[in-house]
Amino acid sequence: MKALLISLASGLLTLGGLHAQTAATTTTTVTTSSGTLHQYTPGSTFVVKETSGPVTYTYGPEVVYATSGGTVLTPEQVQARIRVGLPVRVEYANQGDTRVIRRVLVEDDDDEVEIEVDD
């Protein structure tokens, strides 16, 4: 009886190993594009005016907003900084004909140039 149980357990482990070996892998290519934010409604509309014209993006399940230096923005910072006319870089993955946003990059505050005006 013990030998039968050991044989069954061994067979199940072998089948499990074969199933794991045949599992498919998928590769997602992330592309970066840049332009000026043309239309923006949080969570719904994200259109970037690129050199080829306006391009519409779809929000992915988890969109990360960050500075060009890599600092991830909090929801409050996103609300304060993301606006129409802002230069952005968009990292996205194609799903069919749809561009799905993964990450939006904006300039660091340190990148902004202050202009002094003499009175």
Side-chain angles (χ1 to χ4, degrees):
M1 185 68 168
K2 286 183 182 179
L4 178 63
L5 288 175
I6 292 173
S7 293
L8 285 173
S10 175
L12 289 174
L13 289 173
T14 302
L15 285 175
L18 289 175
H19 175 66
Q21 291 175 358
T22 60
T25 58
T26 58
T27 303
T28 303
T29 302
V30 176
T31 306
T32 303
S33 187
S34 61
T36 303
L37 190 55
H38 184 65
Q39 291 179 7
Y40 173 67
T41 304
S44 133
T45 306
F46 201 90
V47 180
V48 177
K49 188 173 184 182
E50 300 176 4
T51 55
S52 62
V55 177
T56 301
Y57 293 88
T58 300
Y59 282 86
E62 293 184 27
V63 176
V64 175
Y65 292 88
T67 64
S68 55
T71 303
V72 175
L73 301 176
T74 65
E76 294 80 19
Q77 291 171 317
V78 169
Q79 188 175 19
R81 293 183 70 174
I82 304 297
R83 63 192 178 286
V84 171
L86 180 72
V88 294
R89 281 186 291 163
V90 181
E91 293 179 1
Y92 65 92
N94 285 318
Q95 290 182 353
D97 292 336
T98 305
R99 293 181 177 195
V100 180
I101 300 172
R102 297 290 181 98
R103 188 161 72 150
V104 176
L105 299 171
V106 298
E107 290 182 358
D108 285 310
D109 284 334
D110 295 341
D111 292 343
E112 295 177 7
V113 177
E114 291 186 24
I115 300 173
E116 293 183 23
V117 178
D118 293 330
D119 289 327

